[in-house]
Amino acid sequence: MARSVRVASLSELRATRLQKANALRQLGYEPYGPGFAPSHQLQDLQRDHSDLPKGEERDVAVQVAGRVMARRVLGKLAFFRLQDETGAIQLFIERSTLAQGMPEDSEAFAHITGLVDSGDVLGVWGILRRTDRGELSVKVQRWTMLSKALLPLPDKWRGLTDVEKRYRQRYLDLIVTPQTRQTLRRRARLVGAIRRYLDDKGFLEMETPVLQAEAGGADARPFQTHHHSLDLPLYLRIATELHLKRLIVGGFERVYELGRIFRNEGISTRHNPEFTSVEIYRAYCDYGDMLTLTEDLISTVTQQVCGSTVLEVQGRTIDLTPPWRQATMHQLVREATGLDFERFSGVAEAGDAMAAAGLEVPPTADSLGRLLNEAFEQQVEPRLMQPTFVLDYPVEISPLARPHRSRPGLVERFELFIAGRETANCFSELTDPLEQRQRLEAQQERRIAGDPEAQGVDEDFLTALEYGMPPTGGLGIGIDRLAMVLTDSPSIRDVIAFPLLRPTDEEG
């Protein structure tokens, strides 16, 4: 009968690795080295020496560092898999070669094979060799420990399969999941490409307050905090809009801010309470001009980051090649539901028609415009797979947008939808200070009545408008949602390095 094999506990494995760290220190190897200067990244070695024939060596001195991902010891020969940020390479470790390269340690081979574990960070010196099996390798002449890992990596075959653990221990996910590193690398490149695009167009990147006395610029529940020295209640910003508009009032004509936004809302595959957006404001233009900018910006950075404007997103082909579809909210709702909100005489008639069509009619939807938006969100939004500009929103849900110049009850606003998600939002900005006051006061009444997402009245912003703001187009793009499209990620948590999670019992 086969005997069961006892698996060591995590605490036992840690204790064994700690003993090895102490043994290294006694042998003169500092287990947590002070520094190392790699001569090459591993991806570059793989590329530059792809022509090295099997069984041959190339007398090119290399000095590389990385994490040991796998190890195999075969008598007087050992093979380690070393991984850095860019890729991986095999270490060809031979007892006789180490004996010549490290005369100060006659047992250098025994020490590297006996005291180095998977997960350790290692630095090596050597030359290049391609094995008989065709694997490009560093033939190790010297080695040094850079960081002894006290905890083991996940099983190499199963990987890190617990999705919650992947988000909670992102550092471990990054070590063992190359796709996670690729996703976050692409996100970083996206941010850089957006900045370069806007800088090249003459926009100035500005910084506005994160702590604000009045949270405005969006319909969202804010996070509250308190400044003790000033005894002042404050909010974390829910948008950068109102301060960037102050800069337009002050004479800057092209400004943007790319930074963190905080909204005290639920968590889902599309929402994280802390997220990143870029808001862009340009004087002397309207939402039509900003639509052109949006299309060009996103298609340009997509080409730069992904190498194409045609992407695979959750099993669908998404084509970001301009031009993109444009349609009004009224038109799209009419196509999807058969309901024509421009023909309804009032809220009751529209609500009855929605209910008859099987749509939910929430009690907070107390106007034709809000009912139209409900129908849109329920029946249209999830179906907008290809990039689509949805134009001309109801004034009730757009308190900061300019009234439409030819369609009463609507404003000059568009939202961009890609893969069923809102990705960008834009207005011809409202510059009339008196109408802006009326709209914000109406918002404040809704907040007093119990709507936690309604905005308040920002008196200083209204004062700024009274000094005169030129006609302005304003645009906001959700970086995380755009990154989801560009990385084919199903959840916003996949494109945020450290998403917000409820603490576990172990974390306190």
Side-chain angles (χ1 to χ4, degrees):
M1 183 174 66
R3 295 192 307 175
S4 61
V5 178
R6 178 179 176 274
V7 178
S9 68
L10 190 63
S11 60
E12 290 173 329
L13 292 172
R14 183 180 184 278
T16 298
R17 287 174 174 240
L18 187 57
Q19 291 174 359
K20 292 181 179 181
N22 293 330
L24 284 165
R25 186 169 281 121
Q26 292 172 6
L27 290 167
Y29 293 94
E30 171 52 51
Y32 301 99
F36 194 83
S39 61
H40 300 80
Q41 290 190 307
L42 301 184
Q43 176 182 260
D44 296 338
L45 285 180
Q46 294 282 8
R47 182 193 65 234
D48 296 342
H49 299 279
S50 60
D51 61 337
L52 183 60
K54 291 181 181 180
E56 293 191 14
E57 295 181 357
R58 183 165 288 168
D59 193 15
V60 175
V62 299
Q63 180 174 323
V64 296
R67 191 179 298 274
V68 177
M69 300 302 294
R71 55 193 304 280
R72 185 163 51 101
V73 181
L74 305 170
K76 299 179 181 180
L77 193 62
F79 300 93
F80 288 7
R81 190 75 177 168
L82 195 72
Q83 172 182 286
D84 70 2
E85 181 184 358
T86 66
I89 202 166
Q90 180 172 267
L91 301 183
F92 182 92
I93 307 169
E94 195 175 37
R95 175 180 291 179
S96 59
T97 303
L98 280 184
Q100 294 176 6
M102 302 180 68
E104 73 280 6
D105 181 3
S106 60
E107 297 296 325
F109 181 82
H111 293 152
I112 193 172
T113 55
L115 300 178
V116 175
D117 295 296
S118 294
D120 292 352
V121 181
L122 209 61
V124 302
W125 295 261
I127 61 172
L128 296 176
R129 174 189 177 96
R130 191 171 298 278
T131 64
D132 292 337
R133 293 187 176 183
E135 185 80 17
L136 183 66
S137 309
V138 175
K139 184 177 181 180
V140 179
Q141 297 169 330
R142 295 183 61 83
W143 68 274
T144 185
M145 178 65 72
L146 298 177
S147 185
K148 181 65 183 175
L150 299 184
L151 295 174
L153 298 178
D155 179 85
K156 69 176 182 177
W157 300 115
R158 289 179 295 176
L160 194 58
T161 56
D162 186 330
V163 174
E164 182 78 5
K165 190 171 185 178
R166 287 182 54 221
Y167 298 142
R168 195 172 298 281
Q169 292 183 282
R170 182 66 90 188
Y171 46 86
L172 194 56
D173 184 29
L174 289 167
I175 291 172
V176 301
T177 313
Q179 182 56 46
T180 300
R181 293 197 303 275
Q182 175 61 25
T183 294
L184 295 183
R185 183 180 291 113
R186 181 167 285 188
R187 176 202 169 99
R189 292 184 60 208
L190 167 64
V191 170
I194 289 174
R195 281 195 164 104
R196 286 191 300 273
Y197 177 95
L198 293 171
D199 291 345
D200 290 344
K201 297 291 184 181
F203 288 86
L204 295 175
E205 182 172 12
M206 297 293 191
E207 293 180 328
T208 62
V210 172
L211 295 174
Q212 300 181 353
E214 182 66 55
D219 293 341
R221 184 199 298 260
F223 286 96
Q224 294 179 276
T225 186
H226 190 272
H227 191 288
H228 292 285
S229 297
L230 297 178
D231 191 21
L232 181 67
L234 294 169
Y235 301 95
L236 298 184
R237 68 186 181 191
I238 58 174
T240 57
E241 177 167 348
L242 301 188
H243 282 88
L244 289 172
K245 286 181 179 178
R246 287 170 168 91
L247 294 173
I248 296 291
V249 171
F252 288 104
E253 296 180 0
R254 300 187 183 205
V255 297
Y256 75 95
E257 182 168 8
L258 202 160
R260 286 298 218 202
I261 302 298
F262 308 87
R263 296 183 182 177
N264 199 348
E265 59 190 9
I267 296 175
S268 71
T269 57
R270 301 185 185 190
H271 298 88
N272 191 69
E274 179 183 4
F275 62 95
T276 303
S277 76
V278 59
E279 290 200 36
I280 307 162
Y281 293 85
R282 179 180 168 188
Y284 308 112
C285 71
D286 62 12
Y287 77 142
D289 300 306
M290 299 305 282
L291 184 149
T292 301
L293 183 145
T294 305
E295 193 173 63
D296 186 57
L297 187 159
I298 292 179
S299 62
T300 298
V301 301
T302 299
Q303 180 68 45
Q304 292 175 357
V305 172
C306 302
S308 174
T309 53
V310 179
L311 309 175
E312 290 298 315
V313 181
Q314 300 303 293
R316 294 175 178 266
T317 299
I318 303 296
D319 190 350
L320 296 178
T321 308
W324 301 339
R325 184 188 183 194
Q326 301 178 28
T328 67
M329 179 180 282
H330 276 285
Q331 173 189 341
L332 291 168
V333 168
R334 192 163 53 245
E335 291 175 359
T337 67
L339 301 177
D340 188 346
F341 279 80
E342 293 180 297
R343 294 183 177 275
F344 293 134
S345 59
V347 173
E349 182 184 2
D352 290 344
M354 285 179 63
L359 276 67
E360 182 182 353
V361 184
T364 54
D366 53 6
S367 68
L368 276 176
R370 293 184 187 279
L371 288 171
L372 171 66
N373 187 60
E374 281 293 332
F376 172 81
E377 290 184 348
Q378 293 178 40
Q379 292 295 315
V380 179
E381 181 175 332
R383 303 176 183 178
L384 297 177
M385 293 296 111
Q386 299 303 324
T388 303
F389 289 111
V390 180
L391 306 171
D392 302 342
Y393 278 57
V395 66
E396 299 95 320
I397 61 170
S398 312
L400 297 166
R402 179 187 183 90
H404 199 284
R405 64 196 75 179
S406 63
R407 302 186 68 190
L410 303 181
V411 296
E412 295 186 351
R413 173 185 178 185
F414 73 74
E415 287 187 320
L416 170 66
F417 290 84
I418 305 173
R421 309 180 189 111
E422 178 205 338
T423 304
N425 186 20
C426 173
F427 311 147
S428 294
E429 300 296 341
L430 178 58
T431 58
D432 180 341
L434 301 183
E435 183 172 354
Q436 184 65 88
R437 176 176 290 279
Q438 292 174 357
R439 299 232 202 131
L440 291 180
E441 287 176 348
Q443 282 278 306
Q444 184 161 270
E445 289 176 6
R446 294 183 69 87
R447 186 162 72 173
I448 293 171
D451 184 349
E453 296 187 350
Q455 299 181 55
V457 177
D458 187 329
E459 290 290 349
D460 183 72
F461 170 65
L462 292 173
T463 298
L465 284 188
E466 293 200 356
Y467 282 98
M469 185 170 87
T472 299
L475 166 69
I477 299 175
I479 299 298
D480 309 287
R481 290 189 181 177
L482 183 56
M484 289 171 67
V485 173
L486 269 57
T487 61
D488 189 15
S489 297
S491 171
I492 195 171
R493 294 183 178 187
D494 295 326
V495 299
I496 296 175
F498 301 102
L500 182 65
L501 300 168
R502 188 186 299 276
T504 63
D505 293 338
E506 292 80 3
E507 294 171 321

